[in-house]
């Protein structure tokens, strides 16, 4: 301090000489003591007060930190009584803060719940709004549809046409103009020798059969012929026991007449028939033979105006479109006839062409190698034909021929004037099964248009799959009025014999198999049994008269409930809608128009009925191939029942959902649901059908012998639900043509199948464009067994399929009739044996008739039913049985008719980018 003061002074001194006086003044003793006291006391006081303030601030800050980190702080400064109070105060503060925090948390949770409830309510209201809007659109379109339907009902100018009914013809008002006595019997035709007045179009074509035991029209009728003909006619739906109402009278004639005297007796017996009426009008004389020596027995007999049915006709005797050329009765009495038939595969067999036969008058010339003289009853032409065929057999080629023109000592069978048949039936059968084509030579005498030998050769060729090659285009073939023989035989004049090898070699494998398949088809349907032959002849005669066949029988639909028992019903628990979209209008159930073509169908579709469908014997309410109108007809004169999209202007989703559109009038479909003791599963499936557009009714086939519980509550789904009692537990019941099915479209559904409404509606729309095919959801295919050969059933995911499961599939009701009454009984028996394979059988049937694969819709490949009881498909033997079914059905049909397809069907605008103002046809399809 001193040094400092000192220094300063020296400086001041150097800097200012006048400051020295002031310093000297301060250094005076009287003033120095106070100055020293001031300089000492002031710093000490300043230091004390500053230290005290800093210490208080430090302690305050420390207490604050301790209060934050330790609620009890540093209690060392407090006395015991103060400490206890402080602790209690802090505990009270803590309790208060905790309560406030708890209240705040509860309020927060309540607010969150309120917000969540409000959000859910808003979403629910939005969904309800969309649902109400959708329902409003459906109601609007439904009202429009109802108004249009009412308008059509008033404008309808044609009555409902029912199935034909039997009525008694008024014979007194006959306009029949018989031939005058001066006209020969050979001039008989339908217009001048048949009394149409006995056969009204609505008469039902009643047939009366003269009992062979009562009316002895001829002696020595073969027992087999007499028994099977009587039995077959007894099964014919047109047969009547009242001769007064009959349209046609049938008499069976024996062929074993031994002399001219026998023919006189035959003529007398014919004229003494109870309804011969002097000239035999509307009579049909049957002469069926089963031997190679059967012949014409009516030459020299006055048969009046009667039609003659037999295999042997001369050119002078045969009256075209009046008499009938019939195949011989060499088949079974009736029933399934497929058992002894060979498969149609492979196309090419061991021999390209075969023939065995002998013409007795020609044998000396064949042995000598010389040609007969000209004019020797056509023998010279036959010898030249044989010579050309011998050259064919000797031609260097890889094709094998077996042509034998001599029976090699065993002798032939048949008339001496034609090519006789050689060897036994077993030998001939073996050769035909090894022949791709078989040669059939017409009688060398062109005056014979048909013989028993000729018809027998044709019969055997078709039966064993050897395609007939008929040389001689002057012959008449059985049922040629109805059958297209160009699709099952090759017919050429004998002059083409030198070109025969070239002609038959031009046929591809596909052509050969098509001919062979059609030949087998015709043989099974029309030639294979006595029943088939008689039914075919009567059907041709009925079509000549333009009379429709009798309606096909429908299956009764007995209810499982007694008449006095009223089942309990409850409002359906409406499930959440699968999609918020308008799938179609709400319409009351209405049936499809039936039997509207009961007269025109046999005329317009006669060719298809005989040559493709193979069932001209029954009349069906509708057919899958009914004709389709041109597009403009829906807007000009033929608009009845049609519902074009947006009135014909077209449109996207909104307009699409309001009308069915398409090429067919509006219609609905029926659901057939098979069930067996799974009541809750069934009820759940029924409830899901609530509000399904275009649904006509639901048929529940109750397969269980045990009746449903009386306390079961059936859901009210706003359409009829018919519960039908099955006679026995059979999967074939799924396809019975129940009388309660009043629509053409049938949706077969398992009771555990879960389909969305949009899937069902889309499948229905697709079926309307593919009415002759099975349209379904899960796809399957048949695969070739590479290790052991044969077919395997396969359910793996595949880019190729050949079947759709009928547990969820649309088909035409027509196929229900065919499945139940036309398809071979052996297939239905196999389904019952395995309790399996009914869906495979239906796919086989439809593909066999249409030669087209099924149609798969949407991406669905299988169904899942959580909680459902174990089904038949989960049994260990399920797939093994299905393998066996495919191979057995192939054996029955002679080939596997299933065809592969590599595409599925989705909606038109599926995955298409659309403007914001347009809607898709279906949101998810």
């Amino acid at each position: 301090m001193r040094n400092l003061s000192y220094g300063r002074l020296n400086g001041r001194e150097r800097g200012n000489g006048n400051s020295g006086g002031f310093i000297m003044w301060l250094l005076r003793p009287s003033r120095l003591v106070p100055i020293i006291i001031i300089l000492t006391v002031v710093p000490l006081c300043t230091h004390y007060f500053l230290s005290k303030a800093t210490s208080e601030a430090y302690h305050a800050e420390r207490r604050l930190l301790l209060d934050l980190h330790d609620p009890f702080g540093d209690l060392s400064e407090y006395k015991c009584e103060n400490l206890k109070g402080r602790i209690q105060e802090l505990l009270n503060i803590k309790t208060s803060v905790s309560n406030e925090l708890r209240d705040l948390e509860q309020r927060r949770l309540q607010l969150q719940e309120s917000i969540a409830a409000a959000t859910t309510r808003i979403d629910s209201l939005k969904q309800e709004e969309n649902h109400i809007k959708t329902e409003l659109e459906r109601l609007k379109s439904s009202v429009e549809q109802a108004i249009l339907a009412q308008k059509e009902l008033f404008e309808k100018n044609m009555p409902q046409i029912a199935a034909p009914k039997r009525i008694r013809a008024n014979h007194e008002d006959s306009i029949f103009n018989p031939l005058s006595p001066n006209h020969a019997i050979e001039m008989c035709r339908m217009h001048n020798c048949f009394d149409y007045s006995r056969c009204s179009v609505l008469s039902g074509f009643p047939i009366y059969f003269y009992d062979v035991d009562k009316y002895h029209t001829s002696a020595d009728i073969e027992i087999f012929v007499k028994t099977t003909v009587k039995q077959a006619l007894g099964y014919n739906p047109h047969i009547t026991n009242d001769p007064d109402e009959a349209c046609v009278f049938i008499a069976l004639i024996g062929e074993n007449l031994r002399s001219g005297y026998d023919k006189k007796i035959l003529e007398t017996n014919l004229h003494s028939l109870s309804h011969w009426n002097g000239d035999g009008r509307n009579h049909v004389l049957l002469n069926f033979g089963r031997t190679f020596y059967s012949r014409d027995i009516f030459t020299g007999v006055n048969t009046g105006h009667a039609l003659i049915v037999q295999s042997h006709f001369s050119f002078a005797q045969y009256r075209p479109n009046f008499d009938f050329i019939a195949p011989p009765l060499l088949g079974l009495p009736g029933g399934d006839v497929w058992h002894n038939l060979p498969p149609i595969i492979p196309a090419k067999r061991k021999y390209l062409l075969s023939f065995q036969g002998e013409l007795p008058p020609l044998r000396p010339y064949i042995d000598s190698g010389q040609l007969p003289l000209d004019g020797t009853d056509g023998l010279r032409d036959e010898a030249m034909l044989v010579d050309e065929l011998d050259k064919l057999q000797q031609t260097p080629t890889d094709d094998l021929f077996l042509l034998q023109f001599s029976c090699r000592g065993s002798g032939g069978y048949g008339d001496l004037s034609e090519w006789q048949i050689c060897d036994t039936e077993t030998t001939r059968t073996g050769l035909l099964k090894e022949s791709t084509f078989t040669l059939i030579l017409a009688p060398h005498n062109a005056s014979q248009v048909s013989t028993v030998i000729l018809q027998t050769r044709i019969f055997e060729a078709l039966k064993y799959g050897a395609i007939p090659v008929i040389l001689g285009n002057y012959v008449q073939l059985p049922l040629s009025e109805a059958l297209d023989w160009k699709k099952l035989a090759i017919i050429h004049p004998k002059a083409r014999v030198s070109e025969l090898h070239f002609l038959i070699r031009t046929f591809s494998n596909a052509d050969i198999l098509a001919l062979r398949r059609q030949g087998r088809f015709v043989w099974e349907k029309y030639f294979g049994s006595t029943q088939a032959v008689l039914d075919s002849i009567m059907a041709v005669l009925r079509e000549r008269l333009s009379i429709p066949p009798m309606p096909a029988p429908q299956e009764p639909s007995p209810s499982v409930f007694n008449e006095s028992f009223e089942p309990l019903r409850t409002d359906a628990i409406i499930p959440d809608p699968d999609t918020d979209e308008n799938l179609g209008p709400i319409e009351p159930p209405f049936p499809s128009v039936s039997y509207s073509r009961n007269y025109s169908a046999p005329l317009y579709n006669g060719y298809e009925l005989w040559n493709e469908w193979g069932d001209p014997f029954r009349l069906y309410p509708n057919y899958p191939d009914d004709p389709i109108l041109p597009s403009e007809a829906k807007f000009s004169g033929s608009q009845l029942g049609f519902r074009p999209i947006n009135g014909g202007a077209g449109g996207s989703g909104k307009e699409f959902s309001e009308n069915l559109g398409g090429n067919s009038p509006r219609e609905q479909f029926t659901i057939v649901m098979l069930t067996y003791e799974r009541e809750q599963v069934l009820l759940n499936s029924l409830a899901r059908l609530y509000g399904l557009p275009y649904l006509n009714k639901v048929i529940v086939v109750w397969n269980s012998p045990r009746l449903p519980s009386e306390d079961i509550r059936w859901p009210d789904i706003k359409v009829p639900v018919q519960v039908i009692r099955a006679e026995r537990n059979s999967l074939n019941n799924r396809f019975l043509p129940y009388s309660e099915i009043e629509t053409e479209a049938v949706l077969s559904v398992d009771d555990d199948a879960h389909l969305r409404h949009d899937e069902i509606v889309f499948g229905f729309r697709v079926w309307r464009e593919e009415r002759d095919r099975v349209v379904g959801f899960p796809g399957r295919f048949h695969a070739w067994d590479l290790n052991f050969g044969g077919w395997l059933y396969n359910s793996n995911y595949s880019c190729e399929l050949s079947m759709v499961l009928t547990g969820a599939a649309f088909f035409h009701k027509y196929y229900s009739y065919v499945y139940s009454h036309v398809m071979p009984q052996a297939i239905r028996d196999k389904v019952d044996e395995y309790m399996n394979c009914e869906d495979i059988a239906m796919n086989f049937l439809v593909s066999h008739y249409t030669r087209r694969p099924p149609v798969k819709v949407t991406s669905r490949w299988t169904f899942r039913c959580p909680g459902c009881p174990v089904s038949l498909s989960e049994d260990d033997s399920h797939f093994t049985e299905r393998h066996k079914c495919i191979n057995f059905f192939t054996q029955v049909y002679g080939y596997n008719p299933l065809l592969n397809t590599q595409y599925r069907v989705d909606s038109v605008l599926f995955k298409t980018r659309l403007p914001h103002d347009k809607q898709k046809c279906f949101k998810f399809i």
Side-chain angles (χ1 to χ4, degrees):
M1 188 72 179
R2 290 185 185 141
N3 292 335
L4 178 61
S5 302
Y6 180 77
R8 287 180 180 174
L9 291 176
N10 289 336
R12 288 179 182 174
E13 289 178 353
R14 290 191 298 268
N16 188 356
N18 294 329
S19 62
F22 174 74
I23 295 173
M24 292 303 293
W25 179 80
L26 288 176
L27 294 176
R28 290 179 182 177
S30 59
R31 292 183 174 84
L32 182 60
V33 173
I35 292 174
I36 293 173
I37 294 172
I38 293 172
L39 292 175
T40 304
V41 172
V42 170
L44 290 174
C45 292
T46 303
H47 178 268
Y48 171 76
F49 286 110
L50 288 175
S51 300
K52 184 178 181 181
T54 303
S55 177
E56 290 178 355
Y58 168 76
H59 287 294
E61 182 178 359
R62 186 181 178 192
R63 283 196 301 270
L64 179 61
L65 291 174
L66 291 174
D67 288 341
L68 292 176
H69 295 285
D70 186 0
F72 298 99
D74 188 2
L75 304 178
S76 61
E77 301 178 3
Y78 296 92
K79 295 181 180 181
C80 291
E81 57 273 12
N82 295 335
L83 180 61
K84 183 177 180 181
R86 180 60 177 166
I87 292 173
Q88 186 63 42
E89 181 182 357
L90 292 174
L91 290 176
N92 292 338
I93 293 172
K94 178 182 178 182
T95 302
S96 176
V97 172
S98 298
N99 291 336
E100 290 181 4
L101 290 175
R102 189 182 302 110
D103 294 339
L104 289 175
E105 181 66 18
Q106 289 179 354
R107 290 185 60 188
R108 185 182 69 83
L109 293 176
Q110 290 175 356
L111 289 174
Q112 285 182 343
E113 291 176 357
S114 300
I115 294 172
T119 304
T120 303
R121 178 60 177 166
I122 291 172
D123 294 339
S124 176
L125 290 175
K126 288 182 179 179
Q127 292 179 357
E128 186 176 354
E129 180 187 14
N130 294 333
H131 181 67
I132 291 174
K133 287 182 178 179
T134 302
E135 288 298 317
L136 182 59
E137 292 178 359
R138 292 183 62 185
L139 288 173
K140 288 181 179 178
S141 60
S142 301
V143 171
E144 295 174 357
Q145 296 290 333
I147 294 173
L148 187 55
Q150 184 182 24
K151 180 181 178 181
E152 289 178 344
L153 184 63
F154 284 113
E155 295 178 352
K156 193 174 182 180
N157 57 3
M158 58 178 293
Q160 178 73 24
I161 301 178
K165 301 178 181 178
R166 291 173 180 258
I167 64 172
R168 183 181 296 272
N170 187 359
H171 306 312
E172 296 179 359
D173 298 333
S174 172
I175 58 174
F176 172 61
N177 295 315
L179 287 173
S180 64
N182 296 329
H183 287 77
I185 295 176
E186 290 78 8
M187 298 298 295
C188 266
R189 299 296 184 269
M190 291 297 294
H191 69 277
N192 57 14
C193 286
F194 196 90
D195 186 1
Y196 282 82
S197 67
R198 296 191 64 93
C199 306
S200 167
V201 171
L202 298 179
S203 64
F205 190 59
I207 299 171
Y208 180 78
F209 176 59
Y210 289 106
D211 190 345
V212 293
D213 296 326
K214 179 179 179 181
Y215 296 94
H216 301 286
T217 52
S218 179
D220 299 329
I221 299 178
E222 189 177 350
I223 296 297
F224 177 86
V225 173
K226 180 171 67 174
T227 303
T228 58
V229 168
K230 185 176 180 178
Q231 180 181 3
L233 290 174
Y235 288 132
N236 193 290
H238 301 283
I239 204 71
T240 178
N241 294 323
D242 185 1
D244 292 331
E245 74 166 7
C247 163
V248 173
F249 302 87
I250 296 180
L252 179 61
I253 311 300
E255 64 175 9
N256 296 328
L257 302 179
R258 293 175 293 275
S259 65
Y261 175 77
D262 292 324
K263 292 193 174 185
K264 288 295 183 181
I265 295 176
L266 171 61
E267 184 174 313
T268 301
N269 290 339
L270 288 177
H271 294 183
S272 63
L273 292 174
S274 59
H275 289 75
W276 186 261
N277 291 331
D279 56 9
R281 70 184 72 171
N282 293 33
H283 276 63
V284 178
L285 308 180
L286 303 178
N287 174 28
F288 288 123
R290 283 176 52 83
T291 69
F292 301 136
Y293 301 96
S294 300
R295 63 192 186 280
D296 168 41
I297 63 173
F298 294 111
T299 301
V301 177
N302 181 10
T303 57
H305 297 162
L307 295 83
I308 297 176
V309 178
Q310 60 182 6
S311 299
H312 191 105
F313 276 103
S314 65
F315 179 80
Q317 182 189 16
Y318 178 67
R319 297 165 293 185
N321 296 324
F322 189 75
D323 294 325
F324 287 92
I325 294 177
L329 298 185
L330 300 177
L332 299 172
D336 289 355
V337 294
W338 59 270
H339 299 278
N340 297 322
L341 304 184
I344 71 171
I345 307 294
K348 300 285 182 66
R349 295 177 174 176
K350 178 179 180 180
Y351 299 108
L352 179 66
L353 182 68
S354 68
F355 176 81
Q356 282 183 321
E358 178 177 299
L359 184 61
L362 192 62
R363 185 165 185 174
Y365 301 100
I366 295 177
D367 294 338
S368 63
Q370 297 179 356
L371 290 176
L373 300 176
D374 291 338
T376 313
D377 196 22
L379 290 180
R380 182 179 179 85
D381 293 336
E382 293 298 300
M384 295 176 63
L385 183 145
V386 170
D387 184 60
E388 288 292 337
L389 291 173
D390 278 335
K391 293 179 181 178
L392 175 64
Q393 193 165 211
Q394 297 170 7
T395 302
T397 177
D398 293 335
D399 298 322
L400 293 179
F401 299 88
L402 197 156
L403 305 175
Q404 297 178 0
F405 301 103
S406 172
C407 291
R408 302 182 183 276
S410 62
Y413 306 95
D415 196 286
L416 296 177
S417 61
E418 63 177 322
W419 287 96
Q420 294 181 326
I421 288 180
C422 298
D423 296 328
T424 63
E425 181 180 359
T426 302
T427 303
R428 297 195 305 274
T429 298
L431 178 59
L432 291 172
K433 288 181 178 181
E434 293 182 330
S435 303
T436 305
F437 299 91
T438 184
L439 184 63
I440 299 177
L441 299 177
H444 71 280
N445 186 354
S447 64
Q448 301 293 325
V449 296
S450 177
T451 65
V452 174
I453 294 295
L454 174 71
Q455 300 302 334
T456 300
R457 287 184 181 275
I458 294 174
F459 179 93
E460 292 182 346
L462 296 179
K463 180 178 181 179
Y464 298 113
I467 300 170
V469 179
I470 303 174
L471 288 185
N473 55 355
Y474 51 84
V475 298
Q476 296 292 328
L477 300 174
L479 307 178
S480 56
E481 291 178 53
L483 299 181
D484 186 355
W485 280 90
K486 292 181 180 179
K487 288 194 171 184
L488 57 131
I490 302 172
I491 305 172
H492 286 296
K494 291 184 177 181
R496 295 287 188 192
V497 62
S498 61
E499 304 167 323
L500 187 59
H501 186 200
F502 172 79
L503 291 172
I504 62 178
R505 270 312 256 118
T506 60
F507 284 82
S508 66
N509 287 351
D511 296 328
I512 292 171
L513 291 177
L515 286 165
R516 187 176 297 151
R517 174 184 174 274
Q518 187 68 9
R520 177 179 172 129
F521 174 80
V522 167
W523 187 89
E524 286 187 282
K525 296 293 183 181
Y526 310 121
F527 298 165
S529 67
T530 303
Q531 182 81 53
V533 171
L534 285 172
D535 287 349
S536 302
I537 292 171
M538 293 299 104
V540 172
L541 178 57
R542 175 181 48 74
E543 289 190 359
R544 286 182 184 175
L545 304 175
S546 300
I547 298 177
M550 297 296 292
Q554 298 197 83
E555 186 70 17
S557 306
S559 175
V560 297
F561 306 111
N562 297 326
E563 295 181 0
S564 59
F565 177 74
E566 181 67 24
L568 300 176
R569 296 193 181 275
T570 182
D571 291 338
I573 300 176
I574 303 175
D576 294 334
D578 298 318
T579 58
D580 288 328
E581 55 182 326
N582 180 15
L583 298 174
I586 303 173
E587 300 175 315
F590 61 89
S592 297
V593 178
S594 59
Y595 294 108
S596 61
R597 302 182 63 238
N598 55 3
Y599 181 78
S600 59
L603 301 178
Y604 177 82
N605 298 105
Y607 180 91
E608 290 80 10
L609 291 176
W610 282 93
N611 296 281
E612 295 178 7
W613 297 93
D615 191 9
F617 312 114
R618 302 170 185 85
L619 182 66
Y620 296 96
N622 307 93
Y623 293 88
D625 60 345
D626 284 346
I628 297 176
L629 294 174
S631 295
E632 61 269 28
K634 293 180 284 188
F635 309 100
S636 178
S638 301
Q639 60 268 27
L640 185 66
F642 285 95
R643 298 293 185 269
I645 303 299
N646 198 14
S652 58
K654 181 180 182 301
E655 297 79 12
F656 174 78
S657 64
E658 295 173 351
N659 293 284
L660 265 178
N663 304 309
S664 302
R666 70 180 185 130
E667 58 186 325
Q668 296 177 338
F669 62 90
T670 301
I671 288 181
V672 176
M673 187 177 296
L674 199 68
T675 188
Y676 187 89
E677 297 184 0
R678 299 199 293 183
E679 293 181 356
Q680 192 55 51
V681 174
L682 170 65
L683 297 179
N684 293 340
S685 295
L686 290 175
R688 287 193 295 267
L689 299 177
Y690 179 88
L692 178 60
Y694 309 115
L695 178 59
N696 181 270
K697 69 175 61 171
V698 179
I699 304 293
V700 177
V701 182
W702 193 266
N703 246 14
S704 172
R706 187 178 66 181
L707 297 180
S709 305
E710 293 187 359
D711 59 348
I712 187 174
R713 291 186 174 273
W714 298 89
D716 184 5
I717 60 175
K718 308 307 179 185
V719 297
V721 177
Q722 304 288 341
V723 186
I724 296 176
R725 184 182 70 252
E727 292 185 359
R728 59 192 180 91
N729 182 19
S730 171
L731 293 179
N732 291 313
N733 295 336
R734 182 193 299 273
F735 301 125
L736 286 173
Y738 293 107
S739 57
E740 286 292 336
I741 301 177
E742 299 178 308
T743 60
E744 295 184 58
V746 178
L747 173 58
S748 173
V749 178
D750 286 340
D751 58 0
D752 58 357
H754 188 175
L755 286 171
R756 303 195 314 265
H757 284 195
D758 59 338
E759 292 176 312
I760 296 176
V761 172
F762 176 67
F764 175 56
R765 287 180 177 269
V766 172
W767 175 87
R768 282 169 44 81
E769 300 181 26
E770 301 288 352
R771 308 176 76 88
D772 61 338
R773 302 165 76 177
V774 180
V775 177
F777 296 87
R780 302 292 184 264
F781 65 99
H782 63 299
W784 187 253
D785 189 342
L786 299 178
N787 296 321
F788 304 102
W791 294 110
L792 298 174
Y793 173 84
N794 201 310
S795 62
N796 294 330
Y797 294 104
S798 172
C799 294
E800 198 170 60
L801 60 91
S802 57
M803 295 174 280
V804 292
L805 300 184
T806 54
F810 284 92
F811 61 89
H812 198 284
K813 186 184 178 182
Y814 171 79
Y815 292 120
S816 295
Y817 293 99
V818 179
Y819 183 98
S820 302
H821 302 301
V822 180
M823 187 180 71
Q825 179 64 38
I827 295 179
R828 295 190 293 273
D829 292 341
K830 186 63 68 174
V831 170
D832 287 335
E833 177 186 347
Y834 288 153
M835 205 64 177
N836 197 345
C837 305
E838 84 286 358
D839 48 357
I840 301 177
M842 177 58 82
N843 279 273
F844 262 70
L845 175 70
V846 177
S847 294
H848 173 64
Y849 273 78
T850 63
R851 301 305 301 129
R852 302 175 72 189
V855 178
K856 172 175 169 47
V857 292
T858 76
S859 60
R860 187 183 289 273
W861 194 262
T862 186
F863 293 110
R864 299 186 184 276
C865 182
C868 291
V870 177
S871 63
L872 292 174
S873 61
E874 297 179 15
D875 190 270
D876 293 338
S877 61
H878 177 73
F879 281 91
T880 302
E881 292 169 350
R882 293 172 86 78
H883 301 328
K884 294 179 180 178
C885 283
I886 291 182
N887 288 285
F888 177 74
F889 297 165
T890 299
Q891 182 183 355
V892 173
Y893 283 101
Y895 74 112
N896 190 330
L898 297 177
L899 296 174
N900 293 317
T901 181
Q902 298 179 353
Y903 70 91
R904 75 169 192 236
V905 177
D906 289 308
S907 179
V908 173
L909 297 180
F910 181 60
K911 290 190 176 181
T912 301
R913 287 187 150 184
L914 298 178
H916 68 279
D917 59 338
K918 299 294 183 182
Q919 298 179 10
K920 291 189 176 183
C921 312
F922 294 90
K923 289 184 179 180
F924 304 104
I925 299 178

